[in-house]
């Protein structure tokens, strides 16, 4: 079992609230990722980081922001939540491989299921 | 356009039976293909990984095959158990960029009945 933790597991909150989803890993991995997953659909990469002070946007446009101040911590923030943000958010991490991300397995947290009313 | 297509979308089998899940991809240039298992309410867990030169890989009752020429992969589950009920996701990685990006299928939802 990979040591990557996400909190909260479930969050139901009203429109306009500021939200921070927490993700922490204890494996010392340099690379971390945020994915968005809707029921029956594929995972979409929304943010990634190669290490401290490195953050990049992924393939799917997202109004969320991320920060990487510490290696083990990669929080995701929504400044003003809207119903369109309702989804499952998965955090993952991986070791730095010799070539690209795909050669090293990504270890996933159990996700945060977010519902915006 | 790089894509990963999985079939069937959902499958119901009886406990103890075998089943095969399919994955077709158009990702190029190909780096590797990985099968993940995602239990309901949990994150995906890697089952197998295959590179271009490998055409079969086993992990217990799970056996994955890869035909890089036809760009097809299958995941065979032997003697299914109730705990095999999950979504199985095919993920293909390219090697055309520094990121080595991942392309995810939508998964096959497997239900094993007693």
């Amino acid at each position: 079992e990979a040591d990557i933790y996400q909190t909260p597991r479930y969050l139901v909150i009203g429109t306009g609230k500021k939200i921070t989803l927490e993700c922490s890993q204890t494996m010392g991995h340099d690379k971390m990722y945020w994915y968005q997953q809707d029921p029956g659909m594929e995972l979409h990469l929304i943010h990634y980081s190669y290490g401290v002070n490195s953050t990049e946007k992924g393939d799917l446009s997202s109004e969320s922001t991320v920060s990487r101040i510490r290696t083990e911590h990669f929080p995701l923030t929504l400044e003003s939540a809207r119903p369109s943000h309702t989804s499952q958010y998965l955090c993952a991490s991986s070791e730095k491989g010799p070539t690209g991300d795909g050669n090293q397995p990504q270890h996933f947290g159990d996700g945060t299921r977010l519902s915006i009313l | 356009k790089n894509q990963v297509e999985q079939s069937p979308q959902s499958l119901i089998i009886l406990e103890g039976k075998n089943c095969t899940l399919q994955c077709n991809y158009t990702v190029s240039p190909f780096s590797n293909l990985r099968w993940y298992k995602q239990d309901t309410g949990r994150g995906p867990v890697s089952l197998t990984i295959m590179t271009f030169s490998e055409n079969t890989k086993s992990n217990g009752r799970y056996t994955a095959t890869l035909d890089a020429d036809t760009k097809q992969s299958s995941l065979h589950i032997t003697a299914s158990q109730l705990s095999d009920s999950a979504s199985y996701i095919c993920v293909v990685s390219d090697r055309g960029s520094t990121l080595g990006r991942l392309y995810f299928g939508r998964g096959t939802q497997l239900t094993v009945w007693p």
Side-chain angles (χ1 to χ4, degrees), chain A residues 1 9 35 37 40-43 45 48 50 59 88 90 99-106 108-110, chain B residues 9 31-32 34 36 38 41-46 49 89 93-94 97-102 104-106:
Chain A
E1 292 288 328
R9 289 294 313 280
Y35 292 90
Q37 183 183 32
M41 302 296 288
E42 63 267 46
L43 278 72
L45 180 68
Y48 61 95
Y50 282 139
D59 308 312
Q88 173 161 265
L90 288 163
T99 54
D101 286 356
N103 298 315
Q104 303 298 322
Q106 292 193 8
F108 287 85
D110 286 336
Chain B
Q9 183 176 355
S31 177
N32 60 66
R34 196 183 295 273
Y36 280 87
Q38 184 175 21
R42 305 296 298 274
V45 175
S46 179
I49 179 172
I89 303 172
S93 174
D94 75 9
S97 65
T98 303
L99 179 61
R101 68 160 285 193
L102 304 180
F104 290 82
R106 294 185 177 183

Side-chain angles (χ1 to χ4, degrees), chain B residues 4-44:
Chain B
V4 177
E5 301 285 345
Q6 291 187 244
S7 62
Q9 183 176 355
S10 62
L11 180 63
I12 300 174
I13 62 173
L14 294 177
E15 186 178 14
K17 299 296 185 183
N18 304 336
C19 67
T20 301
L21 314 180
Q22 300 290 344
C23 173
N24 296 337
Y25 63 91
T26 59
V27 177
S28 181
F30 173 85
S31 177
N32 60 66
L33 185 147
R34 196 183 295 273
W35 283 93
Y36 280 87
K37 179 187 179 188
Q38 184 175 21
D39 292 315
T40 301
R42 305 296 298 274

Side-chain angles (χ1 to χ4, degrees), chain A residues 25-93:
Chain A
Q25 51 96 4
T26 59
M27 297 168 284
H29 288 168
D30 287 315
K31 296 182 176 180
M32 296 190 74
Y33 316 81
W34 276 103
Y35 292 90
Q36 189 171 335
Q37 183 183 32
D38 293 315
M41 302 296 288
E42 63 267 46
L43 278 72
H44 290 287
L45 180 68
I46 53 175
H47 297 283
Y48 61 95
S49 167
Y50 282 139
V52 172
N53 294 325
S54 154
T55 61
E56 302 287 345
K57 289 191 178 295
D59 308 312
L60 182 67
S61 176
S62 174
E63 294 168 348
S64 59
T65 58
V66 292
S67 62
R68 191 85 183 277
I69 299 173
R70 304 198 312 269
T71 297
E72 63 271 21
H73 197 213
F74 192 40
L76 180 146
T77 299
L78 280 164
E79 289 294 333
S80 180
R82 295 207 301 269
S84 60
H85 297 141
T86 295
S87 188
Q88 173 161 265
Y89 293 84
L90 288 163
C91 180
S93 71

Side-chain angles (χ1 to χ4, degrees), chain B residues 57-70:
Chain B
K57 185 71 71 75
S58 291
N59 178 0
R61 294 179 298 101
Y62 301 103
T63 299
T65 64
L66 173 66
D67 186 334
D69 291 331
T70 62

Side-chain angles (χ1 to χ4, degrees), chain B residues 39-111:
Chain B
D39 292 315
T40 301
R42 305 296 298 274
V45 175
S46 179
L47 292 175
T48 63
I49 179 172
M50 288 177 293
T51 59
F52 186 87
S53 59
E54 298 172 298
N55 53 25
T56 188
K57 185 71 71 75
S58 291
N59 178 0
R61 294 179 298 101
Y62 301 103
T63 299
T65 64
L66 173 66
D67 186 334
D69 291 331
T70 62
K71 298 187 177 181
Q72 295 179 325
S73 176
S74 65
L75 180 69
H76 186 74
I77 304 175
T78 304
S80 61
Q81 301 176 357
L82 298 180
S83 59
D84 292 332
S85 294
S87 178
Y88 291 85
I89 303 172
C90 176
V91 184
V92 181
S93 174
D94 75 9
R95 53 181 173 82
S97 65
T98 303
L99 179 61
R101 68 160 285 193
L102 304 180
Y103 296 85
F104 290 82
R106 294 185 177 183
T108 292
Q109 183 65 46
L110 175 66
T111 303

